Every structure is written in structure tokens, then in C-alpha cells.
Amino acid sequence: MNTFAHIKPIAQYNKVSYYSVCIENNETSLFEEFIAYHTITNKEKLNHVLDWIKLIGNKYGAQSHLFRPEGETADASALPPKGIERKPHYTEYGKKKANNIRLYCLRANENVVFLFNGDIKTAHYAQDCPNVRKHFKLANKLTKAIDSAFANKDIVWNDDCTEINCEDDFKLQF
């Protein structure tokens, strides 16, 4: 059985355009679901990821070293990047700590990122974690489908590859 999604613009920064997807007829994107859930349950961890999204969007661009490789069947990634010494830091009880929240995404190029969903990672491998496994698997499926849509020219780049274009009624099949 095929599932469908449509692409939703999320935010436009100086260097990065962020998009997400809405599954089936849902008007709320996966990224908006991530925000809504973690605003209540993991606000500080969420704010750390949002700080990275803003910093990448305004200052660095979507450079590959700023994303965690999370590919299983496709080139999916995640935020926040590895390294507790990278600014912005995540702190708990006044000490720098690794942030175990994962936001799965697709870094399409240095100017375009698709933000999906995620959760708190509690196991070494995403496939073994009951919290993130479904988000990890879905991100890989969506990444593969988006890559195919680019290859088939259902999704195309604007002239300077800083945004994407597709038909208003385009449905991503995965």
C-alpha cells in the first residue's frame, strides 16, 4: 500500500530554505508535530535543536559536517550534530552534555533541508531504540522518495538551487 505526502515550506533563512512533509491529508507537517510534542516534554533539548536550525540557516548553510549521518536505505541525516564542544552547547544542570534528542532530516544540498520528526534516542543504534526507530525508518523512506522525485524532475531546483519547486498538487509517494 502506498502512502502519500505533500511538501510544506517551513522557514526561509539567509542560507537555507527548510521544508517538511505532511502525511496523507494531514495539514500539520512532521516537523510541526515534532515541535508540538517536544515543546511540552523536552523543551530545552528542542530549543537546542532549534538553535542549530537557525544557526545553520543564517550563518553556515547546510554543510554535511553539521548533520549526523543516519542513512539506512537512503541519505537521511539528523540534528543536532555530534560534539558537545560545538556551539550552541546543550547544558543540563550547568554542565555541557550530549543532547540525545534526534530530529531526522534530509540535507538536499547546502541550501535546502527537509525536516521530519524524531524523539529521544535511548539506544546506541536508532534501529534498536523504541523511541526513534519509527522516525528513523520514515526519514529514510521519505529521503529515498524525495531523491527519486528530484531524479524524475517532479521536484526541481530554482535557478540558484536555494529553493525547490513542484506542482501545487504534487504528492510524494513512499
Side-chain angles (χ1 to χ4, degrees):
M1 185 168 144
N2 292 325
T3 305
F4 296 92
H6 66 273
I7 296 170
K8 184 174 185 177
I10 296 296
Q12 178 82 39
Y13 289 93
N14 296 332
K15 295 188 177 232
V16 177
S17 297
Y18 289 104
Y19 299 87
S20 190
V21 297
C22 301
I23 306 297
E24 297 294 341
N25 295 321
N26 194 348
E27 289 302 314
T28 305
S29 73
L30 292 177
F31 178 65
E32 291 165 320
E33 290 174 4
F34 175 80
I35 296 286
Y37 179 76
H38 293 287
T39 294
I40 296 165
T41 60
N42 301 296
K43 191 169 182 93
E44 294 306 314
K45 291 178 183 212
L46 170 64
N47 285 337
H48 180 243
V49 170
L50 295 177
D51 287 346
W52 272 107
I53 289 171
K54 289 175 196 162
L55 191 62
I56 289 167
N58 282 324
K59 185 175 181 181
Y60 297 120
Q63 299 174 34
S64 60
H65 70 92
L66 299 173
F67 294 80
R68 293 171 180 267
E70 293 286 347
E72 180 180 50
T73 58
D75 193 22
S77 299
L79 288 171
K82 292 181 180 180
I84 63 172
E85 293 303 320
R86 290 183 171 201
K87 291 181 182 177
H89 302 294
Y90 173 68
T91 58
E92 277 184 17
Y93 307 109
K95 297 198 183 234
K96 293 179 201 168
K97 304 255 310 198
N99 188 352
N100 62 347
I101 199 169
R102 295 293 179 270
L103 171 61
Y104 293 96
C105 51
L106 163 61
R107 190 188 74 82
N109 70 8
E110 286 198 12
N111 304 297
V112 172
V113 176
F114 287 83
L115 303 171
F116 303 130
N117 203 336
D119 208 337
I120 302 297
K121 186 176 175 197
T122 59
H124 185 70
Y125 296 107
Q127 300 91 319
D128 298 334
C129 176
N131 296 339
V132 301
R133 180 185 309 117
K134 67 181 178 184
H135 302 296
F136 168 82
K137 296 279 189 189
L138 181 57
N140 275 274
K141 284 182 186 176
L142 289 167
T143 294
K144 191 173 188 177
I146 291 167
D147 286 345
S148 292
F150 273 113
N152 295 333
K153 301 209 182 317
D154 293 322
I155 302 173
V156 295
W157 297 103
N158 68 349
D159 291 339
D160 59 359
C161 297
T162 57
E163 295 180 18
I164 60 164
N165 294 305
C166 59
E167 296 294 323
D168 289 340
D169 61 350
F170 171 68
K171 297 284 184 201
L172 184 67
Q173 184 176 327
F174 64 98

